[in-house]
Amino acid sequence: MNVVNRRQALQRALMNGKNKQDAYHPFPWYESMRKEAPVTYDEDNQVWSVFLYDDVKKVIGDKELFSSYMPEQTSSIGNSIINMDPPRHTQIRSVVNRAFTPRVMKQWEPRIQDIADDLIHRFHGRSEFDLVQDFSYPLPVIVISELLGVPSEHMDAFKTWSDILVSTPRDGSEEAEKAFLKERNKCEEELAAFFAGIIEEKRKKPEQDIISILIKAEETGEKLSGEELMPQAVEEALRFRAPAPVLRRIAKRDTEIGGHQMKEGDMVLAFVASANRDEAKFDRAHMFDIHRHPNPHIAFGHGIHFCLGAPLARLEAAIALTALTQTFSRMEPVSITPIENSVIYGLKSFRVNI
């Protein structure tokens, strides 16, 4: 299968799965697949799908059997660390990893708290607000902007670019595919040009932000060096509604998963959100339980591609949830609008009464 056909087949397979599930509540479909077809092959699109915890963990974590490299990715954004294999992945990650350690994140904790408090302060005197648009969207965007050393006035542009990068075609048609690729390519060019300018500025005038730290590491060859219930609540939320529900890999050689033979070059979709609800791994998997221990979810991935931003995401979530629960004695849902996307899980809007 050539590169173009592989990409189109992937999009069709994702759309096929999307059409079978509810955007906000896909879990009944995951459950049926775990029971009836835990490893299945889409003959039309030549794509495997796996749904059980152990199988998903193997696909996303075994770098000897499965590759993250996608040959259709030709842009600087597409050829990011997410789509790299060792040894290049190891080289890049060794530099980037130290910029997101818990120790570095701890230094940013007071500033993240200030941002959360400032956003919540804007709700005073209101009886209703949008938890997504007014709080959970601006908080991480402002934080990552400051961490990177990017002026906060670019926040809206970041949001637009990020939405496009994680989007999918509106349907499985060739017209939708072409429109999607055109918009995505334009987005990648704009984002690459934007960061090229930022990087040049930081080379001339380095500061204490992550981009400056990474530039220094590149130039010198250096290796960069709550309450008990809240972290558990964050981990259970990650398990219960994984933000990245599906990851893709390519089989590096013939192998067996769940009694099925995959061939070298086969594309595999690993349904992380299903794995995190696997009844064989998690007792009462359908229940949200902040006392769950242990909680070996794989919402941040597994193996060499475990999410670099996990410490930051956990810190932001703990601060945000603590700030909200300490400020508001009650929040009653008014309306929920899910993101209609097969590769990212979340909400466009969540209006609440306070």
Side-chain angles (χ1 to χ4, degrees), residues 191-201:
L191 191 55
F194 175 78
F195 272 109
I198 293 292
I199 290 170
E200 283 307 306
E201 291 179 12

Side-chain angles (χ1 to χ4, degrees), residues 188-260:
E188 291 182 349
E189 290 173 1
E190 291 175 351
L191 191 55
F194 175 78
F195 272 109
I198 293 292
I199 290 170
E200 283 307 306
E201 291 179 12
K202 299 299 180 182
R203 288 190 192 279
K204 298 174 183 177
K205 189 180 179 181
E207 299 176 10
Q208 296 302 312
D209 53 78
I210 287 177
I211 290 180
S212 296
I213 293 172
L214 296 179
I215 289 173
K216 180 181 178 182
E218 176 192 49
E219 293 176 344
T220 64
E222 297 176 0
K223 293 293 188 295
L224 308 175
S225 43
E227 292 294 326
E228 189 64 29
L229 285 180
M230 195 55 73
Q232 290 179 220
V234 170
E235 296 307 309
E236 180 66 347
L238 287 164
R239 181 196 73 86
F240 202 66
R241 295 186 181 273
V246 59
L247 300 174
R248 62 176 182 169
R249 294 291 188 268
I250 300 292
K252 297 174 72 171
R253 60 174 182 262
D254 293 358
T255 188
E256 178 184 316
I257 295 290
H260 295 261

Side-chain angles (χ1 to χ4, degrees), residues 134-187:
D134 297 332
F135 187 71
S136 65
Y137 148 55
L139 174 62
V141 175
I142 293 172
V143 170
I144 197 63
S145 295
E146 294 193 7
L147 280 168
L148 292 172
V150 174
S152 59
E153 59 261 28
H154 296 291
M155 184 175 70
D156 289 338
F158 268 141
K159 173 62 173 173
T160 300
W161 286 327
S162 64
D163 285 347
I164 293 173
L165 289 176
V166 299
S167 66
T168 55
R170 67 178 184 272
D171 55 52
S173 68
E174 184 175 349
E175 180 183 357
E177 168 76 7
K178 289 181 179 179
F180 165 74
L181 291 177
K182 181 178 180 180
E183 182 180 43
R184 185 184 177 93
N185 290 339
K186 182 175 181 292
C187 168

Side-chain angles (χ1 to χ4, degrees), residues 271-286:
F271 282 83
V272 172
S274 172
N276 283 342
R277 297 284 190 107
D278 189 341
E279 300 82 357
K281 187 66 178 181
F282 300 95
D283 182 42
R284 297 177 300 127
H286 64 289

Side-chain angles (χ1 to χ4, degrees), residues 7-207:
R7 183 173 58 232
Q8 292 176 341
L10 173 64
Q11 295 296 346
R12 286 195 298 268
L14 287 170
M15 290 300 300
N16 186 38
K18 177 181 177 181
N19 292 336
K20 295 178 181 178
Q21 54 183 283
D22 180 278
Y24 182 63
H25 196 56
F27 308 103
W29 180 65
Y30 294 152
E31 182 180 3
S32 68
M33 295 304 291
R34 287 194 300 272
K35 293 179 178 178
E36 300 167 13
V39 179
T40 185
Y41 186 66
D42 183 337
E43 291 283 355
D44 293 335
N45 298 308
Q46 300 178 41
V47 176
W48 289 94
S49 293
V50 297
F51 295 88
L52 297 178
Y53 182 92
D54 289 340
D55 294 339
V56 169
K57 190 173 181 179
K58 182 175 182 179
V59 169
I60 66 175
D62 193 331
K63 66 180 187 299
E64 303 302 324
L65 290 178
F66 295 94
S67 171
S68 298
Y69 175 66
M70 298 295 159
E72 69 268 26
Q73 301 288 359
T74 57
S75 69
S76 58
I77 302 298
N79 287 321
S80 69
I81 190 172
I82 296 173
N83 297 317
M84 289 180 183
D85 285 338
R88 183 57 175 162
H89 174 272
T90 306
Q91 296 167 345
I92 297 296
R93 183 155 181 140
S94 67
V95 175
V96 178
N97 189 51
R98 297 298 179 86
F100 287 93
T101 61
R103 178 181 62 81
V104 173
M105 293 300 100
K106 188 69 175 177
Q107 298 172 4
W108 284 87
E109 185 172 352
R111 178 55 186 148
I112 297 173
Q113 184 69 63
D114 288 343
I115 295 170
D117 291 342
D118 178 64
L119 290 170
I120 288 177
H121 180 73
R122 302 176 190 182
F123 306 152
H124 289 177
R126 296 168 58 179
S127 61
E128 181 181 314
F129 69 93
D130 191 318
L131 193 55
V132 174
Q133 296 299 321
D134 297 332
F135 187 71
S136 65
Y137 148 55
L139 174 62
V141 175
I142 293 172
V143 170
I144 197 63
S145 295
E146 294 193 7
L147 280 168
L148 292 172
V150 174
S152 59
E153 59 261 28
H154 296 291
M155 184 175 70
D156 289 338
F158 268 141
K159 173 62 173 173
T160 300
W161 286 327
S162 64
D163 285 347
I164 293 173
L165 289 176
V166 299
S167 66
T168 55
R170 67 178 184 272
D171 55 52
S173 68
E174 184 175 349
E175 180 183 357
E177 168 76 7
K178 289 181 179 179
F180 165 74
L181 291 177
K182 181 178 180 180
E183 182 180 43
R184 185 184 177 93
N185 290 339
K186 182 175 181 292
C187 168
E188 291 182 349
E189 290 173 1
E190 291 175 351
L191 191 55
F194 175 78
F195 272 109
I198 293 292
I199 290 170
E200 283 307 306
E201 291 179 12
K202 299 299 180 182
R203 288 190 192 279
K204 298 174 183 177
K205 189 180 179 181
E207 299 176 10

